[in-house]
Amino acid sequence: MPRLTRPARAAATGTRLAVPGLVHPLMAPAEWAELARPGADLRWAAFDVSRGPGSRPDPLYGEVTARVRENGVPLLGTLDAAYGDRPFGELVSDASRYLDWYQVDGFYLDRAPTGRDHAADCRWAVTTLRALLGREPAAGADRSGGSGIIVLGHGVHPHPGYAEFADQLVTFTGPWDRYRWSEAPQWTAAHPPSTFVHLVHSVPGLHLDGALRIARWQGAATVCLTDRGDRGGTDPWSGLPGYWDRLVRAAAEAGSGTGTEGGADRPPPTM
């Protein structure tokens, strides 16, 4: 049984999907078309041209990102934070190019730092990115939807202070065989589930419902689950999972409590 420390109240929170990094439209035309399909209900989708926005505008990215934004899916430009060692000027320059060339709705800071010693610098970077985006969230607002989203891609649970200034924290990135035994630290219970994102690869279709229940019990309202793996250095997030349609349905059922795994009053899953 997974060691889950999140209060049961989190299980009643709706679950939504995110797409953390599709490849170039020439390599994944069907995936980009899916994001532009009417009815696609995603928390956000992030893209990375070339470890950032690239050196010049890409017209193909311009076309597909425009269609996805018109469909109401918030698009985030991926920025490499280099675990807190990225020069501040480079980060802001890349963010400005994303805005000028692709009119992004926010930013995904990949390889975000996790330690307390980098928190102040990261806060300043996030404040600057918000200024570029032209908005500051209202006090007490759910900051995980709409435009101006800042997601910190830690991949693990960081120092609690990061939750004070980012919209969402990616607190798990990894394979299913590790996720099924994962746990959330107690400090996460002080924040709404909309704060946390889990990215889990190598998830067999048989375990989709179980993975969604783990996310709910750990208090993560945004997930990306995929059957793609990382063997041979491949990127599991470069495309949509083979069971995408089923995942969309399962996430909707998980949020409503009508799925095969049952409602919010059920205990955490036994694996």
Side-chain angles (χ1 to χ4, degrees):
M1 180 182 228
R3 297 167 294 165
L4 305 173
T5 61
R6 188 76 179 188
R9 65 176 176 80
T13 300
T15 302
R16 294 183 68 187
L17 302 177
V19 176
L22 290 181
V23 295
H24 195 277
L26 287 178
M27 302 294 293
E31 282 87 345
W32 280 100
E34 178 64 24
L35 299 190
R37 181 177 59 84
D41 183 22
L42 297 176
R43 184 80 76 178
W44 47 262
F47 70 102
D48 178 9
V49 178
S50 179
R51 294 307 297 171
S55 58
R56 61 181 58 86
D58 185 317
L60 287 178
Y61 269 112
E63 292 176 11
V64 296
T65 56
R67 288 197 293 268
V68 173
R69 286 199 322 276
E70 290 171 0
N71 194 34
V73 176
L75 274 176
L76 311 185
T78 299
L79 300 169
D80 183 9
Y83 304 113
D85 293 331
R86 180 83 184 279
F88 179 76
E90 290 183 9
L91 196 73
V92 173
S93 178
D94 277 358
S96 296
R97 286 199 291 269
Y98 268 121
L99 284 166
D100 291 342
W101 298 343
Y102 305 114
Q103 295 78 53
V104 295
D105 302 297
F107 300 104
Y108 180 98
L109 273 66
D110 191 26
R111 301 200 300 167
T114 60
R116 183 175 184 174
D117 53 337
H118 282 108
D121 288 342
C122 191
R123 179 191 290 270
W124 175 245
V126 169
T127 299
T128 303
L129 294 177
R130 291 200 192 283
L132 288 175
L133 291 163
R135 67 74 128 159
E136 185 69 29
D142 179 357
R143 301 178 297 173
S144 63
S147 63
I149 305 171
I150 306 291
V151 179
L152 299 182
H154 307 285
V156 297
H157 286 92
H159 183 272
Y162 288 89
E164 298 175 2
F165 55 85
D167 297 317
Q168 291 192 303
L169 310 179
V170 178
T171 54
F172 183 93
T173 300
W176 163 246
D177 60 4
R178 182 157 55 87
Y179 186 61
R180 66 194 300 177
W181 303 112
S182 64
E183 59 181 312
Q186 202 61 44
W187 67 262
T188 62
H191 301 277
S194 59
T195 304
F196 302 105
V197 183
H198 290 174
L199 311 179
V200 191
H201 65 74
S202 307
V203 182
L206 180 65
H207 293 295
L208 271 185
D209 290 329
L212 288 168
R213 286 186 63 201
I214 290 174
R216 295 200 309 280
W217 275 87
Q218 290 199 25
T222 304
V223 300
C224 178
L225 307 177
T226 182
D227 51 354
R228 293 170 175 260
D230 62 351
R231 288 187 177 182
T234 58
D235 181 4
W237 319 114
S238 62
L240 298 179
Y243 44 55
W244 174 253
D245 289 340
R246 180 184 164 198
L247 175 60
V248 171
R249 292 193 299 271
E253 291 171 354
S256 64
T258 61
T260 58
E261 291 289 340
D265 58 341
R266 296 292 298 276
T270 299
M271 299 298 175

